[in-house]
Each structure stands twice: as structure tokens, then as C-alpha cells.
Amino acid sequence: MKFERIDRRTYNELRKVNIERNYTLYAEGSVLISCGNTRVICTASVEDKVPSFLKGTGQGWITAEYSMLPRSTGVRTPRSTSRGTINGRSSEIQRLIGRSLRASIDLFALGERTIWLDCDVIQADGGTRTASITGAFVALVDSLRTLWERGDINTLPVKTFVAAVSSGKIEGELLLDLCYEEDSRAEVDFNVIMTELGRFIEIQGTGEGDTFNRDELTGMLSLAEGGIKELVSIQKEVLALSEVEAKAIEEFQSPVCKQKQA
Amino acid sequence: MKFERIDRRTYNELRKVNIERNYTLYAEGSVLISCGNTRVICTASVEDKVPSFLKGTGQGWITAEYSMLPRSTGVRTPRSTSRGTINGRSSEIQRLIGRSLRASIDLFALGERTIWLDCDVIQADGGTRTASITGAFVALVDSLRTLWERGDINTLPVKTFVAAVSSGKIEGELLLDLCYEEDSRAEVDFNVIMTELGRFIEIQGTGEGDTFNRDELTGMLSLAEGGIKELVSIQKEVLALSEVEAKAIEEFQSPVCKQKQA
Amino acid sequence: MKFERIDRRTYNELRKVNIERNYTLYAEGSVLISCGNTRVICTASVEDKVPSFLKGTGQGWITAEYSMLPRSTGVRTPRSTSRGTINGRSSEIQRLIGRSLRASIDLFALGERTIWLDCDVIQADGGTRTASITGAFVALVDSLRTLWERGDINTLPVKTFVAAVSSGKIEGELLLDLCYEEDSRAEVDFNVIMTELGRFIEIQGTGEGDTFNRDELTGMLSLAEGGIKELVSIQKEVLALSEVEAKAIEEFQSPVCKQKQA
Amino acid sequence: MKFERIDRRTYNELRKVNIERNYTLYAEGSVLISCGNTRVICTASVEDKVPSFLKGTGQGWITAEYSMLPRSTGVRTPRSTSRGTINGRSSEIQRLIGRSLRASIDLFALGERTIWLDCDVIQADGGTRTASITGAFVALVDSLRTLWERGDINTLPVKTFVAAVSSGKIEGELLLDLCYEEDSRAEVDFNVIMTELGRFIEIQGTGEGDTFNRDELTGMLSLAEGGIKELVSIQKEVLALSEVEAKAIEEFQSPVCKQKQA
Amino acid sequence: MKFERIDRRTYNELRKVNIERNYTLYAEGSVLISCGNTRVICTASVEDKVPSFLKGTGQGWITAEYSMLPRSTGVRTPRSTSRGTINGRSSEIQRLIGRSLRASIDLFALGERTIWLDCDVIQADGGTRTASITGAFVALVDSLRTLWERGDINTLPVKTFVAAVSSGKIEGELLLDLCYEEDSRAEVDFNVIMTELGRFIEIQGTGEGDTFNRDELTGMLSLAEGGIKELVSIQKEVLALSEVEAKAIEEFQSPVCKQKQA
Amino acid sequence: MKFERIDRRTYNELRKVNIERNYTLYAEGSVLISCGNTRVICTASVEDKVPSFLKGTGQGWITAEYSMLPRSTGVRTPRSTSRGTINGRSSEIQRLIGRSLRASIDLFALGERTIWLDCDVIQADGGTRTASITGAFVALVDSLRTLWERGDINTLPVKTFVAAVSSGKIEGELLLDLCYEEDSRAEVDFNVIMTELGRFIEIQGTGEGDTFNRDELTGMLSLAEGGIKELVSIQKEVLALSEVEAKAIEEFQSPVCKQKQA
């Protein structure tokens, strides 16, 4: 590899990941995730009602909000309250987080309640949206455990583990898990959200500074697939599912979900 | 094909496309694009200044705004002014349009001016964001022609033609160019933005109701590639570039842009 | 006449008017109206509820929203969503449109439903508010026909045809139907909304650059009356009422409405 | 007259008018005007700059803001700050006040400064917009006197006295100066703004519950003309212009302004 | 005293206070209070419902809104509607007014209704928040009388009289009831809200330009106590309670309230 | 003591305090402060300009923003961006933080730059505003050190250490440093901000459920004084000032600041 990464990682190496569960006291699930210098607090809050379009359907809902602390960035960013409205980027990201995590849960088994996933970025060094998804998944599972303990639901309605990572092209090299420095110089930038068995939930790839072809696409997706496999292992390790819980999840996996990506 | 499309199209058939140039009187470029029942007015407006982060750089800017008329949809949607703020979906779409079209233009050759691309959806039957990109590209080229005619620039700084289309998976079938009915039932939904030579500018794929694997991804991208090739032909036909203009564009194509997708 | 109009019209001549019905697919009534270069899309959308102050009264409601596409004007106008609030002018105009059209309908015969009239200006060359009223009336009648066809109402509860036009004083001359160029130079500017029989619904006259006396007032109203008579003929022609429909309307005309302006 | 007015006035009788000058301490001009139970505080504040579209033109500006105290009305109205935006009615009224008073002043003689007219309704019993205009004119003249005293201008650049009043039709009767009770039952409602010599500045007439014909229009305008004559006398009395001031105003009257309405 | 006050008051002298009851026509209670040049209109409006957190509790609510007319100040302040949101200072003040007056009333005896206290500053010369509290208390009592007269409640549920005043330190001197001039030069600034028997409801003291010690604190509170005693006498005088009313109030005083500050 | 505190503290005992410096990577100063279960991230960000009212004065500025993460509380609180505006409580608190810390710094020695103190509450168990002040002071000193290291200033312009704590009355007992449980049951609630030598910067005391007398006031202030002394020791310990720094601070102490509260 000609391109030397500032933190000396190899092209297909994740940054150091740490997930601290039960990070805050009140939320039904809460996590502090660090991916290198990127740090995000993810909390899962259960509310006993659903948006109006779901009332009476028996189906639950999962929604996300994403925000950055003003000084999570190198230069202070004014709060959106000072600007009076959430900005386009945040709105885009929180829609992505919500979609991705809804795909991981059986919303009917959840029942008519909403789980709010709040992802608040404490420190931003690239990959805040993918770290949010990876971390929020853990908080979400913990909140479902809380519901199960309380007897509000009687299983763990998780269809599949979900994690996310970025990959990209810089000076022609394909790299996994870009930090901010790399991201700002990337010609192409991918965010990939996948299940534990390597099936895609969402792909977003943008040629910021250049276009890209099929081979490059395939290369970036393969890098992401490798990274996500590692991230799921870390999620599993920190969640330390009991046998009963693992079995419950097993039962929710649809045949398709069970089938590994060819 | 087991799945019969409501408008009897084959799986890889675009809806009928029509692009009417010079649709309004005042804009430097303006187009009414129809893709089936989806109709969007795209105008390109030139402003002689750039956002503050570009002042003094010699570089121009292209930005987009996207909006739907309240009754472009089956049920009337309240205006965002009544709600006080633009919604997340619109904001996401206009950022996508802006990004895609910036990729097609040499912003330095444009000089320190901004081109505003306003995409106002008159009628929405699926694929409004891709129709907006395909149509706005034509309006954008016309606005550059206007600048050239006025002598404000002395070439046509277009690096590549750009068009966009959706593809998706419904009941297991891969289909091109989803109408609203199809889109709302799709398990997977892709928006693909590509250059005339088949290189990707942006890919967004979401498993709304299901996950997807590599083969399905490849299938949906191939469908999109075919559609975009057709759309670019239509753009070329309606734009009717003169020889001088065609040659100007030729010169702006970077070696990579010129290279067809492998 | 000493003042030569830029489009060579005589002082009491309307601009060319065209009303295209069924302009969009989903609205219960929809029209593209052109008055010279001014073009407005008017849609009528039926909603099966009324504002809270009318609940339980048996009375329906008609309300309007007015907006200009950013590049409907010579210089691009930022969207009100960028500014966060609707501006005073738009708000004033949509209140006028709503008031004028409520006067034309028997709201009790409409029953407890709301008709939203959305007037979106595609191209603005003066007289957008009067064109909106003239066009929205046609869309409104079409939406009532739709309701009748659906069996939601059992008549056409139209009390009177309504149309609107401007007149003004420029360099001392009284002129009908000002285009933008004329309007911006006018000393006095009138907007007149009238029934088919020449009775006033609303008059707004402003001495922008000068005051005016009774004789001038009378002159401008007479010009408007002539214009409105023509506009109503055009509305009737494009609406092509059936005999049954014409008779239904006849029955809704109050004695006063039937009585021509003296 | 068959219709007996609740306060026993004759059809062409104004409510009792009182104008108290120097009502507040800090404003360059300030007035408490009462028209019957309607009471409005009008202040004129001078600012040493003009809106950007006037910079460098040598011309001044006059603008108005209108607001009602929450409990100026029979039922408490929430403040616009609670609703986040000024409502359409207030916005319409303040535009009217600004337009009317700009017509009374020589803006070039004012020089590049802005006079803000704040009209805050303490008690609302109909006719708040016309009372605002009549009162704000007095505050405006006082603020110009202050400027003259300070030596900022060297004359009193008033082109004409301006006052306003409503008239309307109730149960077929034409009446001057409607109180709230009357206004809410009126079939037709006029607001008339006139100069001291009976020339119109603005006319707004609406058939709220009925249409109206030319004769009725003429009748309502004649009533208003009579009322405005009285209001101007009251303005003159309370302003108590010195001979020098009266002469200054005389000189600003354009020949047309001087000419009485025929 | 070395420091001579601009209005020649002694250090412990209130400004001239005047409270005019029944200042407006429609409100259940309304007052114009003047403290020197500070003038505030306080109205009390009764609404027959409570905020949602009180529904079904049998308890009423008292809330306040505070606003300054744009030209109540030496330099015109833009309205909060122009800025789109209420400012921090106003919000802080209205929360204080609401809290202080809730402390004076038995909210259960009020029953499930809300009393809105609107404090609109006509002229601001320091001490507007304390004048608002002192005046609003009188309007509040009058609105309760109105409720009693109407038979909506069957007593006067006032637990204690409440008034407020400022004190502060200027050039080392402790002074009562600061006017604007004094306030803007004060090193320390206190707002004290007290019951008629000298018990504290709220204290807010800020060292704007200096810190302060215990002795100074004690001195400023003693000044305030004296001022509040006088203000309560004035409230009592203008309210002119009947014997029955005075007895009703007596009964609402809790033993602690009855006990004078030691 | 009859009242047993839920965490078994004595009446005059602080909760366990921990201050972690350099909590985030990018801010010039940053701290995570915990006071019992209350946890707040405080960052200090330097900006090289001042608000317009200070331009050209040579004086710097310190301002604060305060916000709670949605799930810092027992029940999730919607973000202010969803509500479109900052709420009154937050606005009040951030004004208090700003005022208190401005009192601790020599703003002229800071020079024309602004220090933004962002206090983001991660977990809220009472006393979030006082914890914010105590923690933000440490972040502020660290940011000044950074400026000194960079050579932007040539001293440590700290006039005095500042810390804050609450005290209150519950069931008649006076207690120091209320947790949420206690706070919500408190009859009286004080927030006290003091210098290291025991002089007051700000006092806010509210009788939420009861009034209070002088003796109780004195008791609560004494409790607070004791707590603040401890908090300042902790601040000093974690800041570990060098001799040179300590000497710089010494020089900024005004004679009055140096003088201990009598």
C-alpha cells in the first residue's frame, strides 16, 4: 500500500472499538461507543405509544435522533437551537439510523411502543453515523432486555445483529473505516450497514471528488463486510447474551436473514 | 417474469420520458421533465456570488432546492411553511441533487458564481428525486449556455452528462424505474446516479422490507445502468449540442471520466 | 391614448387568457391558468373535515394557499422555508383568495368538508393574485363536480361565478390588467373581484405613488367590470356546464346575486 | 333609519374620538388614541438608517408594526411569540398602515432615516386598523417636529394630513365607523384612508356576507369621507400647528394634493 | 448619604406608586401600575381549563406572560415576533411572575381553571419585573372577585398579599427601588418578592459588577422589606376589600403565613 | 436530624464530586464533572471575536450554553430542536452560568475574544446548574492556560475561583446539595454562587411550596458557604496550578475579592 494512514492502520483495519454498556442511569439501554477518537452516547428510551399512523396496528416503532455537541468538532459548531432548526445533515443521518435499526427488530413482537434512539456525538473524528448505528444497536438490545425483564414483552424480538462502517477511496487506495482526516480527502466515501450474516441493509456511496466503477464498488463493499463482521463480534461479546436470549433471537431470524450473503 | 407491472412495462423498461426545455421565461435554464406521471419543473438560476466558504477561491458552486406542490401527491401534503421548517426527506433529496450535479461541472471554470437548481414537483408518481436530477442537468447545461452567450464564461464547463434512475426488488423480482405503487411495495429500493460512460456518482440502496445480497445488488445496478444510458440519450437529443459545444465538453472530460465503466 | 402599452394592448384590453383544466392527476380539481406571461397552477383538494370553529355547524370551509416558485420572477426569490415563515404579501394574498371564493359557494350545501385551493405561481408577470382567483374558481367548480359524481353532495352549490382583474393609473391613463412592467410604474393600483352579474365581492385600491379621486375610482372600476365579464365568459366556456349543472347553479343564486349591478 | 345602533349613534356619526399626545416618555412621537372603546398606543421611533434597498438614495422610510395585547379582546388571544410567527391579519394591517403613512410624507425631505410606527392595541372594539392610522399620523408629525427641533431636518415634510375610518352595510343600512358588534354582523365592510382634501390613499372593501353594487359603494365612500373630514379636524386641533409649521406643510403639498376631490 | 439619587429620593424611599384598577374593559381583572416612570398594564384573564399535567387533579393554575412594547425603552427594541422567539430575559421574568403569584393563591380552591397574567410594559424605567408582580397581584385579586361574583367560586382563595421591589448597591451605598439609571450602574442588584407579613417568596441577587458579603445582603433585604410593606398598604388601599372578602382571605392564611418574619 | 436523606448523607454533606479534566480532544478546556449521579460535560471554546456591542472596546466576553441530553432525565425530554426553540428554563440557566463566570475573569486581560462554555448534561439528578458552574470554571481556567501557552495572552486573568451549590428546606430541615428526589420535595430551594473567599456572586432562592424567613435564609446560605469551600478545594486540587499560575491569579484579585466575607 502506497498510502500510509495517519494512525498506521493497514487498509483493512478498523480503529480500536470500545463499547461501554449501562453508560447512563435512567435509559432502558445506554452505551458509550468509541471508534478511535469518535465517541457517541447512544441511549434507548421506551415510550408506551406509537406515532399516529401506527395506532391500532399492533406494531411498534423505532426512531432515532442524532446530534453533535457543539465542541465535538475541531471548530465549535453552533447548536441547532440557535439556528432554530435541525440541519439537513443531521436529519439525513437520523433517518438512516432509524431505518437501519427498524430492519433489525420484529416490530409486531415489540408491540405498540416506540423506542427512541438518541445518538449524541461527544467527539467527532469521522464515522459518527456508522458508530451511532453500531452503538445504538447494543443500546436497543439492552432496552428490549429491560422490557423482557419487566414482563412487557415475552421474548427478545431481534431478527438480526446490525452494524455499520465506512469505507472509501483515497489517492486511488481502498480503505476501511475512515477517520476525519481521511474522510475529508476521500474521492469516494461509502457507508455500509449490514446484518451479521453479511446481507445489506443499506448502502450509500458518494463520489465526492471522483466517480467510481464496479470493481471499486466491489472492493469497498468487501472491506466493509470484513469490518462489520468484526463489529458484530464485539457487539456479541459486550452484550454477552444468555442462552435463552440467543435462542429467542434465533427464532426471529427469517429464513432469508439466516442465509449468508452468497 | 411473474410480477406483472401495473403499466405493463417489462422489468427493464423506463417509463415514457419527456423533457421540455425553456419551460419558463426568466430562468437562465428551465425544464419540465415527465417520467411517466411524475412531473418536475427544474429551473437553473445564476447568482453572481458564492457561499462565504468559497469567497476568493475562484471556484463556483451549484446547489439545489427540492419541493413538492401540496397536491402533487394523492393526498394533499401541508406546505413546509405551515410546518415552519423543511422536512428531513426534502432536505436529504436536495443535498443529493446538489452533490450529483456538482460532480458534473468544472466549478473553477464556472468561476465565482452560484447556480441554484430549483426542482418543484408538480405531480409525484415515484422517482421524483431521480427525475429531478435528470431534468436539472438539462436546465443546468442550458444555464451554462446562457452564461456563455452572455460572455460571462468562455466555454461549456461540463465534465460529463449525468442522469439518475431508480431500481428495486418487488416480490423477489428486480425492476427498473419504480412508479409510486411499486415503490411503496418494494423490498429493496435503489437510487443510482451515473455518468454517461457508466461510472457511478452516487448509489443509495435501502432494504425497506428486506435485506439484500451481492447478486441482487449487482442486478439492480445493471438495470439502472441500462436506464441511465437511455436517459442520457434523451438528454443529448433535447439539448441538441452544437459541434462547438460538444467539443468544449469533450475537453472537460477527465481521463477517468472518459474511461468507460469496466 | 398617449401611453403605449409594451404589448400594444388598448387601455381596456385583457392579456390573452388560457385556462387548461385537469392539469394534474390527483387533485379533485386542477387548472393551469395563463394571463399573458403570468401562469398559475390552481388545485382544489377536498378534505373531509373542517377547522375547529366550524365543527358541528354543518357548514363547510374554503381556504387558500398562495406561493411563488423561486424563479417565477426575474430575480430568484428565496423560498419561505429558507426564511422560516410565510411573508406578509403571500399571507395577505391567500386570505384574499379564500375570502373571495368562499363568497361564491353555499358553504352549508358543501357540508362539513374543507376545500383547499393551492395557487402556485409558475411565472409572474403581474396580476398573480387576480389570475389565482379566476383560475382557482374553475378548479373549485371542478372539485365540486367530483364531489357530486362521487355522491358526496347532491348538487353544485355555486352561488355565482367569480373572477378578478387589476386596473390602474399610469402616467395619468387608466388601464386594464396591468403586467409587471406597468404595475411597477403605476400611480394607483386596483384589484377587483366581482360576480358574473357585476356585483363587487372585494375592492382593493392603493395610491402607491399618488392619491386618486372619485372619477378615477369610477373609471378603474368600470375597466375592471368589463374585464371580469370577459373572464367569466372564458370560465364558462372551459367549464362547459351541463344543463343539469347550470340549473343547479341557478337555484343557488340568491335574489340579490341574480340582480345585475345597477 | 330602521337599524338602531347599540350606542344610539346616527348612521353617519363617528364614535367619540380622543387623541392624547406625548403619551410615553421616550418615543420621538407618541399618542393614545381612543375611538369609542377602541384604544391604541401609537409611537413613532426614529432610527438613523434605512432598509438596504434605500441605501444611498437619499430617501427615508416609514414602516409600521401592529399588535394587539392578548386581552385587548373579549377572549384572550395568545401572543404571536407563543405561536412563533406573526399572523396574517396583523401582517396585512401593518403593511396597510405603513403604505398609508408613507403617502403622507416627503421621504426625500426626511432623508436617510426610518420612522417606525408601533401601533399596539390596548382595547379592541372594531376599527383598530383605522384608529391606528389616524393616531399614528399624529405621532408621526410629532416625531418630525422632534427631528426639526433637533436640527436633523429643516422643515416639516408633511404632504397632507391622513386619516382613516370604516364604513359598512348592516341589514341593508349603510353606517359609518363600525364597532366590533356591528362589524361582526356587517354584510359589507370598508376601510377608507383619505387625505384632508378628500382624495383617496387606499380603499379596501369586502363583501363578507354579501356582494355590493356601485350605489352602495358610493354611499359607503361618502360616509367615510364625512368621517375623515372630522377626524382630520381633531388631528389638527390636537397637533396645534404653529404658523411656521403650517406654512412648511403648505409648501409640501403637491398641486394634485391641494386639489380637492371633485 | 454621599450618593445623591437623580430624583432626590432618600436611600430607603420608593418611587411614587399609582395603581389604576379596571384599566381595560374585557379582562376579569386589569390594572395600570406606575412606579415612577415605569408603567405596566397587568391583566388577569380566566380560562376554563388547565395545562394537561393538572387535568383531573382539581387544582387550578396561574401563569404569566411578560412583554415590553418596542418603544417602552430609550432605544426601540425589535418585537420578539420579528426575531421569531421570545428572548431569554422575558422568559425568565414571566416564569418569576408566575411562580410568585402562584404562591399567593390556594390553587385547589381556584378549581380547574387557569388565570393568565399578562404584563405589558408601556414604559420602562427600571423595576419592570417587580412592578409587574405588584400590579399583577391586584389584577389577580380582581379576577378572583369576578369569579366569586359570577358564582364560579365561593370564596376569595388568597393566601397572602404579595408585592415585589428591587434594592441594590451603587458606589457602595445600599438603595431601595432602583430606577433604570441606577440599575445600570449598580454593583449589586436584588429583586425581592415578599408576603405582607415579611416572609420571602423569592430572592434573586446578582453581583453584576462586584461581589457582596453577608452584611450587604442583610442591608438590601431590609430595605426591600420596608418597601414591600408600603406596597402592600397601597395594594390594600386600592383593592378596598369588603369585610366579607377580608375574612375569606384571613381563612386562607396558613399558620405559617400568618406568622410574621422574625 | 429527623429527615433521613436517601443517600444517608448528613445535612451538610456534599455528594461525591469528581472532576475529570481534558475530557474531550478538541476543546481548549473540557471537563466531565460528577456530583453524585449528576454528570455534566463542560467545554470551553475560544473564538477570536466578540459580540458586536464589544467590538473595539478591548474587552473579551464569556458566554454559556446549557442543554440536557434527552435521556439525561428519568423520562425522555424532547430536544429543543423538535420544539423549535430553547425553553425558558435552559435559557435562564445559561444566562446564570455566563454571568457567574464573567464575574471570575478580568475581561480586559482576556482581550477581544469570546469563550463559549457549553454545559451538556449527561445525567440529571438535581443541581445541574450548580454543577455546570463548578465544572465550567475548571474548563474555563484550562482554556485560559491554553491561550497562555499559545502566547495569545500573557497571564492567567482569573480574579477569583468560583463554585456553586444548592441548599434547601425539606420538611422543615435545612439541607446542603439537594439531589433530584429532595429537590422535588423541597419547600425552599436556593442556588448560591460564591467566590473562594466566601463573597456572593449570585443568590437565587425560591419558596416553591412555602415561604421562608430571615433565619432560614441565613441557615441555607451558611450551608452553601461550607459546600462551596469544599468545592473550591477540589477545583484547586484538580487544576494543580503551578506557582507561576497561582501568582498570576493572585495579582488579579481585587482588594475586595481578597477580603474574606465577614
Side-chain angles (χ1 to χ4, degrees), chain C residues 207-222:
Chain C
E208 296 277 357
D210 195 5
T211 53
F212 53 99
N213 65 17
R214 281 279 177 93
D215 287 350
E216 290 164 335
L217 165 66
T218 304
M220 288 180 285
L221 294 181
S222 297

Side-chain angles (χ1 to χ4, degrees), chain D residues 71, chain E residues 21-22 26-30 44 46 139-153 155-156 245:
Chain D
R71 197 52 193 283
Chain E
R21 285 171 55 221
N22 302 319
Y26 306 118
E28 281 77 9
S30 74
V46 180
L140 173 59
V141 171
D142 269 341
S143 71
L144 293 169
R145 282 167 151 175
T146 306
L147 283 173
W148 195 359
E149 274 160 38
R150 287 185 194 160
D152 289 339
I153 54 179
T155 181
L156 205 56
E245 289 171 333

Side-chain angles (χ1 to χ4, degrees), chain C:
Chain C
M1 188 176 55
K2 297 149 297 178
F3 180 87
E4 181 155 353
R5 304 183 77 165
I6 50 167
D7 49 8
R8 316 232 150 206
R9 283 184 287 148
T10 61
Y11 73 101
N12 64 352
E13 195 181 340
L14 286 180
R15 290 178 288 177
K16 195 170 151 27
V17 178
N18 194 65
I19 302 177
E20 181 181 343
R21 285 171 56 220
N22 302 320
Y23 184 67
T24 65
L25 210 60
Y26 306 117
E28 281 79 8
S30 75
V31 144
L32 174 66
I33 185 168
S34 318
C35 298
N37 284 326
T38 289
R39 284 156 67 193
V40 188
I41 300 178
C42 308
T43 61
S45 300
V46 180
E47 189 187 28
D48 274 331
K49 61 179 187 189
V50 283
S52 54
F53 69 90
L54 286 177
K55 265 177 203 157
T57 63
Q59 192 185 334
W61 191 243
I62 291 170
T63 189
E65 298 204 348
Y66 168 96
S67 184
M68 300 174 83
L69 292 205
R71 198 52 193 282
S72 58
T73 43
V75 170
R76 186 178 183 276
T77 318
R79 288 170 200 270
S80 37
T81 33
S82 315
R83 286 176 286 107
T85 171
I86 191 173
N87 63 28
R89 179 183 169 274
S90 290
S91 147
E92 196 173 314
I93 291 176
Q94 65 194 24
R95 285 161 52 89
L96 170 64
I97 301 171
R99 250 179 356 245
S100 300
L101 293 184
R102 279 195 295 279
S104 73
I105 300 299
D106 186 310
L107 296 173
F108 284 100
L110 172 58
E112 286 203 18
R113 44 181 66 87
T114 297
I115 301 184
W116 293 81
L117 298 168
D118 285 291
C119 299
D120 286 273
V121 178
I122 300 298
Q123 212 165 260
D125 186 27
T128 60
R129 82 188 70 188
T130 50
S132 294
I133 291 169
T134 305
F137 177 78
V138 176
L140 173 58
V141 172
D142 268 342
S143 70
L144 294 168
R145 282 168 150 174
T146 305
L147 283 174
W148 195 359
E149 274 160 36
R150 287 186 195 161
D152 289 339
I153 54 178
N154 52 22
T155 180
L156 207 56
V158 176
K159 297 194 297 190
T160 177
F161 271 63
V162 167
V165 79
S166 72
S167 56
K169 184 171 80 164
I170 305 183
E171 298 183 14
E173 298 267 347
L174 305 189
L175 300 173
L176 178 64
D177 191 16
L178 311 185
C179 69
Y180 177 73
E181 235 281 315
E182 293 170 340
D183 188 63
S184 56
R185 295 167 52 200
E187 294 110 42
V188 183
D189 176 38
F190 259 79
N191 288 297
V192 181
I193 297 97
M194 260 188 182
T195 72
E196 56 181 312
L197 291 171
R199 292 183 66 89
F200 299 110
I201 287 180
E202 181 135 351
I203 292 174
Q204 294 191 341
T206 309
E208 296 277 357
D210 195 5
T211 53
F212 53 99
N213 65 17
R214 281 279 177 93
D215 287 350
E216 290 164 335
L217 165 66
T218 304
M220 288 180 285
L221 294 181
S222 297
L223 280 175
E225 188 177 357
I228 285 170
K229 221 172 279 182
E230 277 186 67
L231 289 167
V232 169
S233 316
I234 295 168
Q235 288 175 327
K236 294 205 159 172
E237 200 183 305
V238 303
L239 275 167
L241 295 176
S242 71
E243 241 171 86
V244 178
E245 289 170 333
K247 218 182 128 204
I249 290 182
E250 180 84 6
E251 276 162 17
F252 270 104
Q253 289 191 327
S254 65
V256 156
C257 278
K258 285 180 191 172
Q259 177 189 344
K260 203 186 148 348
Q261 138 108 29

